[in-house]
Amino acid sequence: MNTTLGLMSAKTAERSHFLPYVEAANEAGFKRLILFAPEDVNLARRKITGYTYQKHKWVRTVQGFPDLIYDIGHYRTIRGYQQAEEIKSFSRLPFVGDWLGNKWVVYQGLKASPEIAEHLVETELLIRAADGISMLEQHKALMLKPVSGESGTGIKRISLRKDMMIIEEDGGVCRGIKVESAGRYLDQLAAKGYMMQPALDLRVNSRNPWDCRALIQKDGLGSWSFTGLVVHVGQTSRLTTHPEHGGQTLEGYPFLAKRFGKEEAKRLYEQIRDLSRQAAEQLELYYNRSFAELGVDLAIGEDQSLYILEVNHKPGKPFMRTKRDLELYLNSIRVPFQYAAYLAHTQAAVIPAAPPWSRDTSGCSRAELIEQIIQDGMAFYRTPYRFGAVPWSIDAFDCSSFMQFIFARNGLLLPRTSRQQSLLGYDVARKNLQRGDLLFFSVHSRTHKKGLERIGHVGIYLGGGRFLHSCKAGGVVVTELSDPYWNRLYIKGRRVIEEDGCS
């Protein structure tokens, strides 16, 4: 196979860590593997400055684009993430698998399946402090998770104790604030992008938190295969189990057998395998995209109830390594290369920006259509902003691509730009705005222009003086129309959904 595979990573300094990947690429039949980081790519010249492994050493090299790219990078800086996004959006670069959205988007995708929804922990967005206080009063203890967090960072546990709200953070940090002061704290978290779940008490011997990581990957036939299961056990002082924070990784089945007995462990193992495959298939259906591998994190209650906590599109391979089972770790590296070889042979590599699937909305009422559009929009809460986003991309939106996307999913095609969209429907006075109306604003670079050329931003009205939009400050967010910045730039509202139906 005369094919070059690119291995994109956040960092390439510790190249000895990538030797198992070189071996896996050779076994899969690739002629060459080039290791590089996003900053090593010159899109204009279509060149990559990276490393190849030749005669038992890494050699710096400059070459053209590879035939396929396998992205394993965990980008912890905004710059690194943006560079990776630019490369991924470049139409001439096919990837082995696509990316998932943030945790809230993934939750919405899983929730769309009734069978999987039974295994999800109730999850809500923290948009206003009142949302958090209401849910806290109902459940007494909540886990607050960053919508775009990684490696368990930023997670907090809050609970009520008399007239105090107790805040626990990873590493044993614990403090209390008066309930009447909780609103300000929750509003600060809401501004950063958080979601809320009832706290599940999942600990070993009431001390160490634990959960399961199931790894499911596409194999050499292009089918989902269950690679294996491990258990992550966190430190006593931690809220999370992530091995980066000092936790340990144990073999999955032996741990379950010791805790629940052999027969129950066998049943749980098989259920986890089947549920992980269902989750992978459901997310591909929801996103209308193809993925190469997914890490499914699950929790098991004392009554053997199974919960999906989250799904990751870049499951860290070192965290599949246990002291006794080196083969599981090596297989977790080999299988994606076998899938990459399958893509190379069939020329079926993923090129992003496929149009979204569209629902049949012919039988719904206008109100039902509006609710579905808004629900779809809220599903992408905190998805990053990128000016000039690729049409139909779900990794990042600008204001008009976001409107175009959520309307298209419900059978309504809008033009690409906010100015073109402002020509649809008819004007609505601000006092008469209704849920589902499009709102149009100027931007500072256009306030001096006249007529259509003044328009530079669009959002959808939610009612109650709030609107949903994608903007530079936070990505997809909900904003008060009375906000001084947007109030000053507001131009008009347009009703674009027909009064008499869904056409």
Side-chain angles (χ1 to χ4, degrees):
M1 181 170 57
N2 190 23
T3 305
T4 299
L5 179 68
L7 186 66
M8 189 165 78
S9 178
K11 297 179 180 179
T12 59
E14 300 293 332
R15 286 180 288 281
S16 61
H17 295 166
F18 298 99
L19 290 179
Y21 293 87
V22 174
E23 184 177 344
N26 291 334
E27 289 178 0
F30 286 96
K31 179 182 179 181
R32 184 183 296 107
L33 178 77
I34 179 167
L35 172 67
F36 66 94
E39 60 263 28
D40 299 326
V41 179
N42 188 319
L43 292 176
R45 294 180 56 212
R46 303 184 187 180
K47 296 289 185 181
I48 289 178
T49 303
Y51 296 89
T52 58
Y53 195 70
Q54 304 174 22
K55 297 181 180 181
H56 308 292
K57 65 179 180 179
W58 289 99
V59 178
R60 187 78 165 169
T61 181
V62 179
Q63 66 174 59
F65 287 163
D67 300 288
L68 282 168
I69 295 177
Y70 176 29
D71 178 19
I72 61 171
H74 292 267
Y75 308 106
R76 304 294 173 84
T77 67
I78 295 176
R79 178 59 181 157
Y81 180 82
Q82 289 176 337
Q83 288 176 324
E85 281 264 299
E86 290 172 4
I87 296 166
K88 178 175 170 291
S89 300
F90 194 70
S91 61
R92 299 175 186 84
L93 285 173
F95 279 69
V96 172
D98 220 324
W99 293 4
L100 284 171
N102 63 41
K103 289 178 171 55
W104 177 249
V105 179
V106 172
Y107 174 77
Q108 296 299 316
L110 295 173
K111 188 180 177 183
S113 166
E115 294 81 7
I116 297 176
E118 295 178 0
H119 298 280
L120 297 177
V121 181
E122 176 191 354
T123 305
E124 300 290 344
L125 283 173
L126 177 59
I127 297 178
R128 295 180 296 184
D131 304 327
I133 293 172
S134 175
M135 194 171 184
L136 181 58
E137 289 175 344
Q138 179 183 355
H139 295 284
K140 307 307 178 187
L142 300 178
M143 298 296 290
L144 303 181
K145 301 180 179 180
V147 169
S148 300
E150 283 191 359
S151 305
T153 57
I155 293 179
K156 307 174 191 301
R157 186 182 190 275
I158 61 173
S159 57
L160 289 176
R161 189 180 303 168
K162 295 183 179 180
D163 61 343
M164 300 290 290
M165 185 175 80
I166 308 302
I167 304 167
E168 300 172 67
E169 300 180 12
D170 237 347
V173 178
C174 183
R175 59 193 176 98
I177 59 176
K178 293 284 187 180
V179 170
E180 54 266 28
S181 303
R184 182 178 179 182
Y185 173 78
L186 293 174
D187 276 335
Q188 290 172 345
L189 292 184
K192 297 177 181 178
Y194 268 76
M195 58 189 196
M196 312 173 289
Q197 296 175 337
L200 300 177
D201 191 9
L202 303 169
R203 293 182 177 270
V204 181
N205 300 324
S206 301
R207 292 175 59 83
N208 302 77
W210 72 280
D211 57 27
C212 302
R213 162 63 64 88
L215 181 61
I216 185 164
Q217 299 173 303
K218 291 278 183 68
D219 59 22
L221 298 175
S223 301
W224 284 111
S225 63
F226 185 73
T227 304
L229 177 74
V230 295
V231 168
H232 291 153
V233 180
Q235 293 184 327
T236 304
S237 61
R238 292 285 179 178
L239 295 175
T240 64
T241 64
H242 203 280
E244 281 188 1
H245 302 156
Q248 57 179 322
T249 302
L250 305 174
E251 294 175 86
Y253 177 77
F255 181 94
L256 297 180
K258 183 177 180 180
R259 189 168 181 84
F260 300 109
K262 292 183 178 180
E263 288 300 316
E264 186 61 19
K266 181 179 179 181
R267 185 193 70 80
L268 285 169
Y269 190 92
E270 292 175 351
Q271 187 181 11
I272 289 171
R273 179 196 61 200
D274 294 342
L275 184 59
S276 299
R277 184 177 291 110
Q278 289 175 8
E281 293 171 349
Q282 168 61 21
L283 288 173
E284 285 194 317
L285 176 66
Y286 183 78
Y287 281 86
N288 191 30
R289 293 188 173 190
S290 180
F291 303 108
E293 57 186 344
L294 296 172
V296 184
D297 291 344
L298 307 106
I300 303 174
E302 290 298 327
D303 61 352
Q304 287 81 61
S305 297
L306 195 61
Y307 303 96
I308 295 179
L309 298 176
E310 61 180 67
V311 179
N312 302 281
H313 65 271
K314 292 182 184 177
K317 304 307 189 319
F319 304 138
M320 297 300 296
R321 186 170 188 166
T322 67
K323 291 182 179 179
R324 297 183 179 182
D325 193 358
L326 178 61
E327 194 62 24
L328 173 57
Y329 163 68
L330 294 176
N331 279 338
S332 72
I333 293 176
R334 291 188 191 115
V335 176
F337 284 90
Q338 295 166 5
Y339 176 54
Y342 161 82
L343 293 177
H345 282 302
T346 60
Q347 296 183 336
V350 175
I351 297 179
W357 53 264
S358 180
R359 296 185 183 88
D360 179 9
T361 57
S362 58
C364 69
S365 67
R366 179 177 182 272
E368 290 170 338
L369 176 60
I370 290 171
E371 289 309 308
Q372 190 61 64
I373 290 171
I374 290 175
Q375 181 179 328
D376 282 343
M378 291 300 296
F380 289 92
Y381 187 75
R382 288 290 174 175
T383 295
Y385 176 90
R386 183 171 65 233
F387 179 75
V390 176
W392 314 126
S393 168
I394 58 174
D395 304 312
F397 299 105
D398 61 22
C399 63
S400 54
S401 75
F402 180 50
M403 292 299 106
Q404 185 185 48
F405 181 85
I406 62 177
F407 274 73
R409 292 192 76 165
N410 293 280
L412 300 178
L413 297 179
L414 302 185
R416 175 62 180 86
T417 70
S418 58
R419 285 175 289 286
Q420 292 169 335
Q421 292 172 8
S422 72
L423 298 175
L424 301 176
Y426 56 89
D427 283 349
V428 179
R430 185 162 177 169
K431 64 180 181 180
N432 295 326
L433 287 173
Q434 295 179 6
R435 189 169 170 87
D437 291 340
L438 290 185
L439 307 183
F440 294 92
F441 304 81
S442 188
V443 291
H444 287 304
S445 61
R446 291 184 170 273
T447 53
H448 66 285
K449 297 181 180 292
K450 296 182 179 181
L452 187 66
E453 291 303 309
R454 287 186 63 218
I455 293 174
H457 190 74
V458 61
I460 186 169
Y461 190 60
L462 302 179
R466 300 192 300 163
F467 66 103
L468 177 70
H469 61 142
S470 178
C471 64
K472 292 181 180 179
V476 175
V477 292
V478 174
T479 301
E480 298 287 340
L481 189 52
S482 60
D483 177 277
Y485 178 86
W486 293 107
N487 183 53
R488 184 172 63 253
L489 295 173
Y490 179 79
I491 295 176
K492 64 180 178 180
R494 298 281 288 184
R495 189 154 299 156
V496 299
I497 301 177
E498 297 293 337
E499 298 283 354
D500 56 350
C502 302
S503 59

